[in-house]
Amino acid sequence: MTSAKKSKVIAEVDSAIERLARVLTRIDSGDYGFSEAGDWLHNCGDDIVGALESALEYVKEAA
């Protein structure tokens, strides 16, 4: 994996973690209810899965 691709994968995973952490905080604090959390997951879940898939590909290549 090239250095540029590695940097891109790291940025995608960092972004996914930050976004998910913000939403979980909002759920825990009661700012997001079940419906809002479901809407967010429906709209943004693909981004998180894509970041994890990229990371998995990188990990497999590194092994």
Side-chain angles (χ1 to χ4, degrees):
M1 180 175 285
T2 66
S3 179
K5 178 146 177 140
K6 178 180 175 181
S7 294
K8 183 179 181 231
V9 167
I10 290 170
E12 288 175 357
V13 171
D14 277 343
S15 176
I17 290 168
E18 289 174 16
R19 290 174 71 190
L20 184 56
R22 281 194 307 266
V23 170
L24 290 174
T25 298
R26 288 178 176 165
I27 292 168
D28 285 343
S29 67
D31 293 334
Y32 273 13
F34 181 78
S35 180
E36 292 90 358
D39 287 345
W40 181 86
L41 185 58
H42 177 75
N43 293 327
C44 300
D46 288 343
D47 293 339
I48 293 171
V49 170
L52 292 173
E53 287 174 340
S54 294
L56 180 59
E57 179 182 323
Y58 175 74
V59 169
K60 286 180 178 179
E61 286 181 13

